[in-house]
Amino acid sequence: MPCEKCENGKYKWGKTGDCQYDSIAECEEANKDYYEKTTSIVELVISDDSQELAIDAISLVTSPAIEQDFVYFGKEKNNLTFAKVDEEKRMLVSPALIPNKQIFRHDPNTDSDYYVYFSKETVRKASELYLKHNNHHKATYQHQDRVSGVLTVESWIKEGDQDKSKLYGYDLPNGTWFVKMKIENDELWNKIKEGELKGLSIEGYFTDKMEQMSEKAPTTEEILSALNEIISENQTK
């Protein structure tokens, strides 16, 4: 739960802290005892035996884990003017997964904090499996109730500076998975317009890459591939 910048320019600890610190350093120092508990960064991958469930559904949530809100298009005048073509279609556009984005997690069983992330390869694979197994019509509300009237009508991976995600105001890394969703559910659409629902969060089954590799001895090819992946990702940062 790292420090976050507030609208007034100050910083707060996590999602619910007070906006009282003048800098990130001051915020982290004040919460050092808790902050130092976060030591682990875990890469999540798709297990070969659970590919059908890799992305089981997409949830409309108040606080998206990837910390990116979606943009939506309705007929109200205060919406984005460049989306006039979509004004009557009740659409929203959002990143579903951002490669190498560290996502905070807390394990209540061990009272430990850690981060997880997905590589570009895993993000692409997840996006493909999501469509392959016809999960584009599956959605939930706040990771709880399955809801109807939500359909993914577009899915794409950002691959360059001319990507259409720029039209929607996003400036995210190459390899980001974007979706466009049509919202025919009146209750959900009203929650989106009112600002209660702000983004998307994936639901699926992933495994810790290190645990997966420890279950079997990696081949020489797998070791070289992993090293090349690390080197390549470091060069592009």
Side-chain angles (χ1 to χ4, degrees), residues 56-68:
D56 185 48
I58 292 180
S59 190
L60 289 88
V61 297
T62 301
S63 300
I66 58 174
E67 300 174 344
Q68 290 286 333

Side-chain angles (χ1 to χ4, degrees), residues 83-124:
K84 287 183 178 178
V85 68
D86 290 315
E87 283 183 352
E88 301 297 330
K89 297 181 181 179
R90 303 215 301 193
M91 301 283 193
L92 63 84
V93 173
S94 176
L97 276 179
I98 302 173
N100 302 313
K101 170 75 174 180
Q102 293 182 9
I103 302 170
F104 176 80
R105 287 291 180 264
H106 176 75
D107 186 347
N109 295 321
T110 60
D111 191 28
S112 61
D113 300 337
Y114 62 102
Y115 288 92
V116 299
Y117 75 95
F118 304 88
S119 69
K120 285 184 179 181
E121 179 183 354
T122 299
V123 171
R124 178 176 291 277

Side-chain angles (χ1 to χ4, degrees), residues 36-50:
E36 289 179 345
K37 289 167 57 179
T38 303
T39 57
S40 208
I41 300 176
V42 177
E43 179 182 354
L44 296 183
V45 296
I46 297 170
S47 176
D48 290 339
D49 58 4
S50 63

Side-chain angles (χ1 to χ4, degrees), residues 11-182:
Y11 292 83
K12 63 179 180 179
W13 179 250
K15 297 289 185 184
T16 59
D18 296 328
C19 299
Q20 57 180 313
Y21 304 107
D22 293 326
S23 66
I24 290 181
E26 182 183 343
C27 177
E28 291 179 351
E29 178 63 26
N31 297 276
K32 182 171 59 176
D33 291 342
Y34 189 89
Y35 194 83
E36 289 179 345
K37 289 167 57 179
T38 303
T39 57
S40 208
I41 300 176
V42 177
E43 179 182 354
L44 296 183
V45 296
I46 297 170
S47 176
D48 290 339
D49 58 4
S50 63
Q51 290 193 6
E52 186 172 351
L53 300 175
I55 302 293
D56 185 48
I58 292 180
S59 190
L60 289 88
V61 297
T62 301
S63 300
I66 58 174
E67 300 174 344
Q68 290 286 333
D69 295 352
F70 50 58
V71 294
Y72 70 88
F73 315 125
K75 60 185 178 181
E76 288 70 23
K77 296 296 184 182
N78 62 343
N79 280 321
L80 303 175
T81 57
F82 57 73
K84 287 183 178 178
V85 68
D86 290 315
E87 283 183 352
E88 301 297 330
K89 297 181 181 179
R90 303 215 301 193
M91 301 283 193
L92 63 84
V93 173
S94 176
L97 276 179
I98 302 173
N100 302 313
K101 170 75 174 180
Q102 293 182 9
I103 302 170
F104 176 80
R105 287 291 180 264
H106 176 75
D107 186 347
N109 295 321
T110 60
D111 191 28
S112 61
D113 300 337
Y114 62 102
Y115 288 92
V116 299
Y117 75 95
F118 304 88
S119 69
K120 285 184 179 181
E121 179 183 354
T122 299
V123 171
R124 178 176 291 277
K125 187 175 182 180
S127 72
E128 293 171 352
L129 291 172
Y130 171 71
L131 296 179
K132 177 180 179 180
H133 295 290
N134 296 316
N135 291 328
H136 59 286
H137 63 285
K138 295 181 180 179
T140 64
Y141 169 67
Q142 301 282 30
H143 287 300
Q144 296 177 4
D145 302 323
R146 183 62 62 90
V147 293
S148 60
V150 179
L151 179 68
T152 298
V153 295
E154 286 188 44
S155 171
W156 76 94
I157 299 291
K158 180 182 176 183
E159 295 183 337
D161 291 338
Q162 302 304 314
D163 187 79
K164 64 182 176 181
S165 60
K166 295 275 190 176
L167 298 175
Y168 302 114
Y170 291 110
D171 185 18
L172 293 173
N174 289 336
T176 297
W177 174 25
F178 285 94
V179 294
K180 177 184 279 190
M181 307 184 81
K182 183 173 179 63

Side-chain angles (χ1 to χ4, degrees), residues 205-224:
Y205 295 86
F206 298 87
T207 185
D208 181 329
K209 184 175 183 178
M210 296 305 294
E211 289 182 0
Q212 184 188 60
M213 292 183 68
S214 68
E215 293 175 357
K216 62 177 182 178
T219 64
T220 302
E221 290 77 10
E222 289 174 332
I223 294 173
L224 290 174

